[in-house]
Amino acid sequence: MEITRVGSRIIQDGKLVGAVTHVLVNDPATGYGIFIENKLDAAAWRYHKIEKSEFS
């Protein structure tokens, strides 16, 4: 099974709700995605961790 990484936006009702992360090459209708809330939470956590370690 070959998997490729992508990064396409998932738009629902005109709003950004997630992103496609991986798609199966042999079956482009099958893949994985992430909700935008999870991505934003991860970015905030990383930012907080970096900011805290730089100024400690």
Side-chain angles (χ1 to χ4, degrees):
M1 172 178 20
E2 188 176 348
I3 298 175
T4 187
R5 293 183 65 164
V6 290
S8 298
R9 304 179 291 274
I10 300 173
I11 307 292
Q12 189 174 32
D13 295 327
K15 297 178 183 172
L16 177 64
V17 296
V20 176
T21 58
H22 297 79
V23 174
L24 301 179
V25 173
N26 297 336
D27 183 7
T30 303
Y32 302 92
I34 186 168
F35 289 114
I36 195 64
E37 292 91 356
N38 297 354
K39 197 70 173 160
L40 292 172
D41 287 345
W45 180 83
R46 285 188 199 109
Y47 175 78
H48 178 71
K49 184 178 178 184
I50 291 168
E51 182 180 71
K52 194 172 185 180
S53 68
E54 286 180 357
F55 298 106
S56 294

